[in-house]
Amino acid sequence: MSRSLLGVHIEAVYHTSLVLGGVEYFFGGGVQTAYPSSTHHGKPMEVIPMGQTQLLVEVILEYLESLKAIYTMESYDLFLHNCNNFTNDFAMFLVGKGIPDHITSLPQTVLNTPFGQMLKPQLDQAMRGVTQAPVPQSNIPSRGGPRPVMSNGALTNGAAINAKESVPGVVYKPTKIRQLDDLLASAKETCAVIFFTSATCPPCKLVYPAYDELAAAAGKKAVLIKVDLSEAYEIGAKYQVRVTPTFWTFLKGEKENEWKGANESQLRGNVNLLIQMAHPVHPHTLLRLPTLQRPHKQPVTYAKVPPLDKLIAKLGPAGSDNSVTALKNFIMHRQNSGAIDAPLPSLPNISSFILRSLQTLPIETLFPLIDLFRVTLVDPRVSGYFAQDPQLTVLAVLGKVTQLDAQCPYQLRIVTLHLACNLFTSPLFSPKLLSDGKYSTPLLELVTSSLLDTDHQPVRVAAASLAFNIAASNHQRRVDEKDDRLSADNELGLMASVLETIGLERESKDGMRGLLLAAGLLKYGAPKDSELADMCKAGDARDAVAKVKGIFPALKDLVKETEQVMD
């Protein structure tokens, strides 16, 4: 029938999904999940094994979040942005290859026919009830349901287990001594509360809502535990608690307080005091610093698309490679239609081409390739893939440029700085760039040497942007998790370069703004007895920052904020 209508034979109209760890992931009404084969699409006509992934569960879930911004319910298009595009992107991230071409190319095959073009709006509208139907609640895996199997923190196959998860903001209910001991051990660097209760204790129930609210407000700052002595016999025998409700608090692994009774005010006051003792307020939080204290979750990126044909021509014969064509098509499609309608090219093939080119192309012709790569990394699907790229393509680029050092051509250096900024579009890259020595060493070499480039103002401005991205990512981790991604040595090295450049910069207000933000965010919230604090004090960092007011008056408010945290 398809041949008579379209002039081509179509075997099937495919719906695809990806099954991982006992969960089926697919795109319809947004990114959806279900137990395998339990959706309204029924059992699959074909199952294609895609392989195994070694990615961490947390990494996979983070990447899925980035896909949800692109694969929304409103963005669904039967021909241009459908379930097969989602499955292809997700599979490429997980195992380094997409789904078969005859599936992903089918919509274009139909649209290439006159009849297909004519029926496109009607077919898209008619099929939405099928493609975007909701999954019954009973078929949706719960938060504690099937998850990928872990082996040394990596995924090994698709079976499902129920692993213990540490979920901030919940009340834990252990019934065994070992479970309670594990929970208390997890709070040895912070604090914990045990609420001893019983099913036959009416006063206990009066403070249940308050206890739940305290857990939600505490988040990761405290571990709140509820022990029902009518069920947890082991725990009752060990702790010998005879009266309920009884509360025990622990600070840094040691018992801190104990009281009895269902007094809600006393409960709230004691728990809040405990959390304050475990997490004393940093003096910087008491200052009025509107710029430094607001969230800095949006990195500086360089998304401008250069004249592609002129750029590719500079690659010489390498410009005719299929991977270059794929990069160009993706960039143009994304520029003209947006990320939603731009299907990903084969990222593994592009990775291989870039790695070959780093070895074979003359140094002076590398910058067009890196510039093409830079533009694609604005897309979080691309940057997310390369954050977990088994071929370490980005690391090879950074290593090549830092190895050249002073011999690196201006154009290659600046597009590499822009590329490095764009890596921060994926939350998966920040931990690698700041904490993994393989990445942090060349990255910091790149930014520190570029900050001190006295001959090229655009290089210094780009380096200041990169310094800001690094500092902002580290700052956000410090605020959220109370620790730093950067090592102490890397913080010192970056701060020293930033402060030196602040003392030298006289040309660029934008560059100086990036430098002040980087310095302020690196210092904000740092421990008062840290090496970073000592270095800023010994190096008269406040005086160096204060002098900026006379050079760039428009930045006086930011200068004032940065001065205050330098004390």
Side-chain angles (χ1 to χ4, degrees):
M1 183 176 178
S2 61
R3 188 175 297 278
S4 61
L5 289 174
L6 302 174
V8 295
H9 173 67
I10 295 177
E11 181 181 357
V13 177
Y14 298 102
H15 163 79
T16 61
S17 61
L18 194 144
V19 176
L20 173 70
V23 178
E24 182 175 342
Y25 298 88
F26 63 99
F27 174 49
V31 176
Q32 297 174 273
T33 59
Y35 291 109
S37 303
S38 68
T39 73
H40 58 284
H41 295 287
K43 293 186 177 181
M45 60 183 287
E46 183 181 5
V47 176
I48 302 174
M50 295 298 295
Q52 298 183 350
T53 182
Q54 296 298 316
L55 298 178
L56 298 176
V57 173
E58 292 77 9
V59 169
I60 294 171
L61 296 180
E62 190 82 62
Y63 186 73
L64 268 176
E65 286 302 310
S66 69
L67 290 183
K68 288 179 182 178
I70 292 174
Y71 288 97
T72 64
M73 186 171 186
E74 297 74 19
S75 70
Y76 187 91
D77 186 296
L78 182 65
F79 291 91
L80 302 176
H81 193 64
N82 56 43
C83 57
N84 302 324
N85 300 120
F86 167 79
T87 305
N88 186 70
D89 289 358
F90 196 22
M92 195 180 304
F93 174 74
L94 290 172
V95 296
K97 62 181 180 181
I99 63 177
D101 289 342
H102 71 275
I103 297 176
T104 55
S105 63
L106 178 62
Q108 194 59 50
T109 300
V110 174
L111 291 179
N112 285 341
T113 69
F115 198 66
Q117 282 285 356
M118 183 177 67
L119 288 180
K120 178 183 180 298
Q122 293 88 337
L123 287 173
D124 186 30
Q125 189 61 39
M127 290 296 291
R128 283 186 178 267
V130 176
T131 57
Q132 299 192 302
V135 178
Q137 192 64 38
S138 60
N139 293 345
I140 300 176
S142 64
R143 180 168 185 149
R147 297 288 299 276
V149 167
M150 302 291 293
S151 173
N152 297 323
L155 288 163
T156 55
N157 57 52
I161 60 170
N162 289 312
K164 174 184 176 295
E165 295 182 62
S166 178
V167 183
V170 304
V171 175
Y172 296 93
K173 300 175 183 178
T175 58
K176 303 293 184 182
I177 288 290
R178 176 65 181 273
Q179 295 170 332
L180 179 57
D181 288 346
D182 288 346
L183 288 168
L184 292 176
S186 72
K188 66 181 180 180
E189 298 300 326
T190 173
C191 58
V193 184
I194 304 178
F195 176 1
F196 292 100
T197 181
S198 171
T200 58
C201 173
C204 296
K205 297 176 182 178
L206 295 176
V207 291
Y208 281 1
Y211 198 69
D212 291 344
E213 289 174 14
L214 287 166
K220 296 181 180 180
K221 294 181 178 180
V223 176
L224 271 69
I225 304 162
K226 188 185 292 182
V227 175
D228 187 338
L229 295 174
S230 62
E231 296 177 355
Y233 303 114
E234 285 185 13
I235 298 174
K238 177 179 178 179
Y239 286 86
Q240 293 294 302
V241 173
R242 303 301 183 192
V243 177
T244 57
T246 292
F247 299 88
W248 287 17
T249 59
F250 296 80
L251 180 64
K252 307 292 184 180
E254 300 292 333
K255 186 177 178 182
E256 187 269 336
N257 195 7
E258 176 182 346
W259 73 95
K260 299 175 177 62
N263 186 323
E264 181 178 329
S265 297
Q266 182 184 22
L267 171 64
R268 290 184 182 275
N270 286 349
V271 172
N272 288 329
L273 178 61
L274 177 73
I275 293 172
Q276 289 176 18
M277 293 167 63
H279 306 278
V281 174
H282 195 285
H284 290 166
T285 64
L286 305 178
L287 301 173
R288 186 179 180 278
L289 307 169
T291 302
L292 295 180
Q293 288 171 342
R294 72 166 184 255
H296 291 275
K297 296 185 178 182
Q298 292 298 320
V300 175
T301 58
Y302 291 85
K304 184 177 180 180
V305 178
L308 293 177
D309 289 334
K310 290 183 179 179
L311 188 70
I312 292 171
K314 295 177 181 179
L315 282 170
S320 60
D321 191 277
N322 289 338
S323 291
V324 175
T325 303
L327 281 171
K328 175 186 174 182
N329 291 340
F330 173 71
I331 292 169
M332 291 180 63
H333 203 153
R334 195 176 188 280
Q335 182 183 32
N336 296 331
S337 305
I340 287 173
D341 292 329
L344 289 179
S346 174
L347 299 179
N349 289 349
I350 288 170
S351 171
S352 297
F353 174 71
I354 292 173
L355 291 172
R356 288 197 308 273
S357 299
L358 289 174
Q359 301 299 320
T360 58
L361 288 180
I363 295 299
E364 60 273 12
T365 59
L366 273 179
F367 88 87
L369 176 61
I370 303 305
D371 208 23
L372 285 172
F373 192 25
R374 181 266 307 176
V375 179
T376 65
L377 285 166
V378 172
D379 192 305
R381 294 173 296 172
V382 179
S383 54
Y385 171 84
F386 281 100
Q388 304 301 323
D389 170 28
Q391 300 191 80
L392 305 179
T393 309
V394 167
L395 186 60
V397 172
L398 294 175
K400 184 76 172 182
V401 172
T402 55
Q403 190 177 39
L404 291 169
D405 196 21
Q407 304 304 314
C408 181
Y410 162 74
Q411 289 177 308
L412 179 57
R413 177 174 289 273
I414 195 165
V415 296
T416 305
L417 286 165
H418 292 170
L419 177 149
C421 287
N422 291 353
L423 299 176
F424 288 86
T425 56
S426 172
L428 296 176
F429 244 129
S430 294
K432 284 184 177 290
L433 293 172
L434 274 62
S435 303
D436 185 338
K438 294 195 303 292
Y439 285 87
S440 62
T441 298
L443 182 72
L444 288 166
E445 284 181 12
L446 174 67
V447 69
T448 54
S449 62
S450 300
L451 282 172
L452 301 175
D453 185 337
T454 56
D455 295 328
H456 303 101
Q457 177 191 328
V459 167
R460 296 197 304 275
V461 173
S465 298
L466 180 55
F468 163 76
N469 284 357
I470 294 170
S473 178
N474 189 66
H475 166 78
Q476 202 61 47
R477 171 77 177 193
R478 183 184 290 163
V479 170
D480 294 342
E481 305 290 343
K482 306 304 177 187
D483 67 350
D484 292 1
R485 281 201 168 112
L486 285 171
S487 68
D489 286 344
N490 284 342
E491 281 185 345
L492 290 171
L494 181 58
M495 179 65 95
S497 296
V498 168
L499 290 175
E500 183 177 354
T501 311
I502 286 175
L504 298 174
E505 184 58 57
R506 297 294 183 271
E507 298 179 50
S508 172
K509 184 182 77 172
D510 290 338
M512 181 59 79
R513 177 178 172 79
L515 293 167
L516 290 171
L517 283 169
L521 293 174
L522 281 171
K523 184 65 166 55
Y524 183 92
K528 296 173 66 176
D529 59 350
S530 65
E531 292 181 74
L532 184 66
D534 292 342
M535 187 198 77
C536 290
K537 185 176 182 179
D540 296 325
R542 179 167 185 148
D543 290 342
V545 171
K547 292 176 181 177
V548 174
K549 281 184 288 190
I551 304 167
F552 298 100
L555 297 176
K556 65 179 186 302
D557 291 338
L558 180 56
V559 170
K560 182 179 178 181
E561 288 190 36
T562 308
E563 274 187 89
Q564 292 183 74
V565 299
M566 288 298 162
D567 284 337

